[in-house]
Amino acid sequence: MKPVIFCDFDGTITLNDNIIALMKQFAPPEWEAIKDDILAQTCSVQQGVGRMFSLLPTTLKEDIVQFLLDTARIRDGFSDFVAFTNERQIPLYIVSGGIDFFVYPLLHGLVEKERIFCNSADFSGETIRITWPYACDEHCQNGCGCCKPSLLRKLAPKGAKTIVIGDSITDLAAAKLADHVMARDFLLEKCRELHLPHTPFTTFFDVIDVLKESEVIA
Ligand SMILES: [Mg+2]
Ligand SMILES: [Zn+2]
């Protein structure tokens, strides 16, 4: 049976965090205190992200998308990695705490929408309201917003090996459930500390090399 790959978006596929970048550019200064609350875990990611986007008028939608299309950079090797998984028929899912209105355009031509699991947004009001199609299941109480461990439970067929690719605290719960983790930055430190089976990566060419050598796809 083929392994199933779950790949984070912000800071993993893109070099930087897109929510942070767009808040810096468009939000009033209050967003920073909310970000600090999330980092200090005095509010959940879901509460915090919801509050941050409620600071932004819905009229900014196109400007935000254009800004990210102009400034976000995709990590080297990503399109080769997608092609590699297609060739080997390895299921690849993008699991992201980002929002569909910018995640889809940034991945346009790289990954089909059906493989992307992220938050959604409602622009019918005065300010942006985030909706949460993939909120935590009954096994997770973290208020993830887009719950990666829940998605892993839902999407990985029984008995399939799972690989999680990511960079941050929001990938940790899924990484703990995975058979193997490809990690960078904070997630790499955590994998070392908790002795999770993992490999560090810098580009997606590294990820391809690990997959080629790995017995899970033999
Ligand atoms: Mg990330
Ligand atoms: Zn959760």
Side-chain angles (χ1 to χ4, degrees):
M1 189 185 268
K2 300 281 182 185
V4 183
I5 302 178
F6 295 88
C7 184
D8 171 50
F9 181 65
D10 284 83
T12 298
I13 296 173
T14 59
L15 298 186
N16 296 313
D17 187 294
N18 295 292
I19 293 182
I20 299 287
L22 76 87
M23 289 296 157
K24 274 187 186 160
Q25 182 73 13
F26 295 102
E30 297 96 281
W31 80 274
E32 295 226 37
I34 305 172
K35 176 201 67 182
D36 293 341
D37 284 348
I38 298 175
L39 295 177
Q41 295 179 291
T42 54
C43 76
S44 69
V45 171
Q46 183 169 7
Q47 289 167 327
V49 169
R51 277 163 57 204
M52 281 201 265
F53 277 92
S54 74
L55 299 172
L56 300 174
T58 43
T59 49
L60 283 175
K61 182 180 180 182
E62 302 310 324
D63 291 345
I64 292 172
V65 172
Q66 196 54 54
F67 168 74
L68 291 176
L69 284 171
D70 290 343
T71 57
R73 303 250 331 272
I74 302 287
R75 189 173 300 279
D76 282 351
F78 182 69
S79 61
D80 301 70
F81 164 69
V82 175
F84 175 82
T85 59
N86 285 337
E87 230 166 71
R88 303 280 176 115
Q89 296 180 304
I90 301 170
L92 168 65
Y93 298 112
I94 311 306
V95 288
S96 168
I99 323 297
D100 58 2
F101 77 97
F102 65 82
V103 176
Y104 290 166
L106 287 170
L107 285 176
H108 181 75
L110 289 166
V111 182
E112 315 90 88
K113 280 184 185 175
E114 296 70 41
R115 293 159 174 269
I116 303 171
F117 296 81
C118 61
N119 298 311
S120 196
D122 173 4
F123 290 87
S124 64
E126 260 183 32
T127 61
I128 302 176
R129 189 177 68 83
I130 305 301
T131 61
W132 315 95
Y134 306 108
C136 302
D137 65 16
E138 69 274 22
H139 303 291
C140 182
Q141 274 77 44
N142 289 333
C144 301
C146 178
C147 185
K148 298 182 185 190
S150 299
L151 282 167
L152 202 125
R153 279 188 281 272
K154 189 169 131 180
L155 297 171
K158 243 196 166 71
K161 296 260 197 245
T162 51
I163 298 170
V164 164
I165 308 175
D167 71 309
S168 83
I169 181 78
T170 57
D171 302 303
L172 184 58
K176 286 179 180 171
L177 299 177
D179 292 286
H180 196 82
V181 186
M182 313 264 191
R184 49 180 307 283
D185 206 48
F186 177 86
L187 186 65
L188 178 58
E189 286 170 38
K190 278 288 166 190
C191 286
R192 286 182 174 140
E193 190 185 312
L194 300 171
H195 305 288
L196 301 176
H198 73 279
T199 316
F201 76 97
T202 303
T203 71
F204 279 93
F205 295 116
D206 304 334
V207 176
I208 295 171
D209 288 342
V210 173
L211 288 173
K212 278 183 178 164
E213 286 164 19
S214 140
E215 75 217 43
V216 288
I217 64 156

